[in-house]
């Protein structure tokens, strides 16, 4: 999805603020510590620890910063004069304020305003809702009461169950200057590969700024699964019932997630790995790993820990009886 462009000076006018630096042409917004698909983006820095992310990312051409951070940046050896700066009191708030204005008041973001395309030999229940801006391939099946939202692509041979939402609005909150939580509009899409199964009562979110949430070819997703914004699920992966992928999770290929497991924000599970039932993954998982528990650790270590705990409990009971 290619956005229209807007100049730094036009952004300053929209927000009624000043800018310092060159009047670059911008074709996207994104976070400076993420992979960026656009050529020239505006981002923000709200903490000194992220300064390098903004300065060293060649695609970042505009930054919202505080006056204090700007003074620190000016002293940096890696300071680049080819970045424009908006000096504001609340960089994150102003950044997302710009995002909402660009979405609601301008044509900057492409909004998938085209008539949906449905391929041949599809079986789509009469109660299914398909919004404008959807592309569906051949031999796709969609069950009763499911909703396919704009910006979704479903490739050949995939099956969507009943009461499932594909392209659901992702969940991102920011707090304004009055500490009030505000939701952020998601403008990205959702991509479902070939021969994918997404069962009943699932929600697959869309991407926040650009690109797609991706469920790649041959993935199988059981009922009651939620996949958050900016997630990528690699080919041949399996996610079983009641599991949750938080935002920006990446499962590589041939990953198996057992029932009722949760993968935390930004975690990566590498190829051919297994996550046991009712686990909480809070760190990256290496290739060919088998983990379980809260937090998830290698299964062999988990078994040793359980055995050790049983011994401690047993010895404690024995000591208690001996001292009676």
């Amino acid at each position: 999805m290619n956005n229209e462009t807007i100049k730094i000076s036009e952004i300053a006018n929209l927000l009624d603020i000043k800018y310092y630096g060159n009047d670059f042409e911008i074709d996207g917004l994104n976070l400076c510590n993420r992979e960026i698909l656009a050529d020239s983006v505006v981002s923000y820095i709200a903490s000194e620890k992220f300064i390098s992310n903004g300065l060293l990312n060649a695609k970042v051409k505009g930054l919202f910063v505080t006056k204090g951070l700007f003074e620190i940046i000016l002293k940096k050896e890696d300071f680049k004069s080819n970045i424009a700066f908006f000096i504001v009191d609340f960089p994150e708030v102003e950044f997302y304020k710009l995002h909402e204005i660009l979405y609601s008041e301008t044509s900057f973001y492409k909004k998938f305003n085209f008539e949906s395309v449905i391929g041949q030999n599809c079986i789509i229940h009469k109660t299914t809702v398909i919004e404008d801006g959807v592309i569906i391939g051949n031999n796709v099946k969609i069950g009763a009461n499911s909703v396919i939202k704009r910006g979704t692509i479903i490739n050949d041979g995939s099956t969507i169950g009943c009461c499932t939402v594909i392209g659901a609005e992702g969940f991102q909150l920011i707090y304004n200057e009055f500490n009030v939580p505000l939701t952020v509009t998601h403008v990205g899409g959702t991509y479902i590969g070939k021969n994918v199964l997404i069962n009943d009562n699932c929600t697959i979110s869309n991407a926040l700024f650009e690109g797609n949430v991706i469920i790649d070819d041959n993935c199988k997703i059981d009922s009651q699964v939620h996949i958050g914004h900016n997630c990528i699920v690699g080919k041949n992966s399996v996610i079983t019932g009641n599991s949750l992928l938080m935002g920006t999770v990446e499962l590589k290929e041939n990953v198996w997630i057992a029932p009722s497991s949760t993968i935390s924000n930004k975690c990566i599970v590498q190829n051919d790995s297994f996550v046991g039932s009712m686990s909480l993954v809070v760190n990256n998982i290496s290739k060919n790993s088998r983990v379980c528990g809260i937090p998830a650790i290698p299964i062999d270590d988990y078994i040793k820990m359980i055995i050790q705990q049983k011994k401690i409990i047993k010895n404690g009971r024995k000591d208690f009886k001996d001292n009676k």
Side-chain angles (χ1 to χ4, degrees):
M1 181 182 70
N2 296 319
N3 296 324
E4 293 189 3
T5 60
I6 187 171
K7 287 194 169 185
I8 292 288
S9 57
E10 294 175 294
I11 292 173
N13 289 335
L14 283 173
L15 297 176
D16 193 24
I17 57 177
K18 294 180 179 180
Y19 73 93
Y20 302 85
N22 296 322
D23 192 12
F24 295 108
E25 203 164 78
I26 300 299
D27 65 350
L29 272 65
N30 211 328
L31 307 183
C32 59
N33 63 338
R34 302 280 176 87
E35 180 183 0
I36 296 174
L37 301 178
D39 294 322
S40 177
V41 304
V42 166
S43 188
Y44 74 92
I45 297 173
S47 170
E48 186 174 350
K49 68 180 181 179
F50 291 110
I51 286 178
S52 293
N53 292 109
L55 297 186
L56 299 179
N57 193 325
K59 292 189 173 184
V60 174
K61 298 300 183 184
L63 281 171
F64 289 91
V65 296
T66 63
K67 183 179 179 181
L69 286 173
F70 184 60
E71 291 173 350
I72 293 172
I73 288 169
L74 289 176
K75 299 174 183 177
K76 288 278 186 180
E77 292 182 2
D78 50 6
F79 168 68
K80 296 189 296 182
S81 59
N82 62 336
I83 294 179
F85 293 90
F86 305 98
I87 300 176
V88 296
D89 292 331
F90 302 97
E92 183 182 31
V93 173
E94 293 295 330
F95 171 79
Y96 282 108
K97 180 180 177 181
L98 170 64
H99 168 67
E100 297 295 339
I101 290 173
L102 291 176
Y103 179 76
S104 61
E105 300 180 16
T106 76
S107 59
F108 178 75
Y109 288 119
K110 300 294 184 185
K111 298 179 181 177
F112 308 107
N113 291 328
F114 59 87
E115 188 173 339
S116 290
V117 178
I118 300 176
Q120 298 178 344
N121 303 316
C122 293
I123 301 174
I124 299 174
H125 195 275
K126 62 182 180 180
T127 60
T128 296
V129 176
I130 299 176
E131 296 185 346
D132 289 339
V134 169
I135 298 173
I136 297 176
N138 300 322
N139 304 303
V140 170
K141 299 177 182 179
I142 305 177
N145 299 311
S146 286
V147 179
I148 314 300
K149 300 183 74 67
R150 62 178 54 200
T152 295
I153 299 172
I154 303 176
N155 280 279
D156 297 351
S158 288
T159 298
I160 310 299
C162 300
C163 303
T164 283
V165 181
I166 307 296
E169 179 80 357
F171 190 71
Q172 173 87 3
L173 294 180
I174 65 160
Y175 286 81
N176 67 11
E177 60 268 41
F178 307 108
N179 205 34
V180 174
L182 304 173
T183 57
V184 177
T185 301
H186 287 55
V187 298
T190 308
Y191 176 92
I192 310 299
K194 296 179 180 179
N195 302 312
V196 170
L197 168 66
I198 300 174
N199 227 332
D200 302 337
N201 296 296
C202 294
T203 50
I204 312 297
S205 302
N206 61 351
L208 177 53
F209 289 116
E210 54 183 357
N212 300 294
V213 166
I214 297 173
I215 313 298
D216 216 335
D217 297 349
N218 305 314
C219 288
K220 308 302 180 217
I221 297 177
D222 195 5
S223 299
Q224 311 285 351
V225 168
H226 174 75
I227 295 179
H229 64 194
N230 301 336
C231 287
I232 298 175
V233 179
K235 293 178 180 178
N236 309 317
S237 291
V238 176
I239 305 175
T240 58
N242 295 301
S243 292
L244 164 64
L245 271 59
M246 297 185 188
T248 321
V249 165
E250 184 172 3
L251 307 184
K252 299 293 188 177
E253 296 184 3
N254 305 303
V255 169
W256 185 290
I257 307 297
S260 301
S261 293
T262 297
I263 316 298
S264 295
N265 287 351
K266 303 179 185 178
C267 285
I268 300 172
V269 182
Q270 294 289 347
N271 292 352
D272 306 301
S273 290
F274 171 85
V275 176
S277 297
M278 301 182 69
S279 295
L280 172 61
V281 174
V282 297
N283 296 302
N284 292 341
I285 304 298
S286 58
K287 186 176 180 180
N288 293 312
S289 294
R290 294 174 59 82
V291 302
C292 68
I294 302 177
I297 59 175
I299 288 177
D300 289 346
D301 293 343
Y302 181 80
I303 292 172
K304 290 176 183 177
M305 181 181 70
I306 295 299
I307 293 172
Q308 191 173 35
Q309 287 175 344
K310 286 182 177 180
K311 287 180 179 179
I312 292 171
I313 293 170
K314 184 178 180 180
N315 291 335
R317 286 175 179 168
K318 182 178 182 299
D319 292 344
F320 177 74
K321 288 179 180 180
D322 292 343
N323 291 326
K324 285 186 72 174

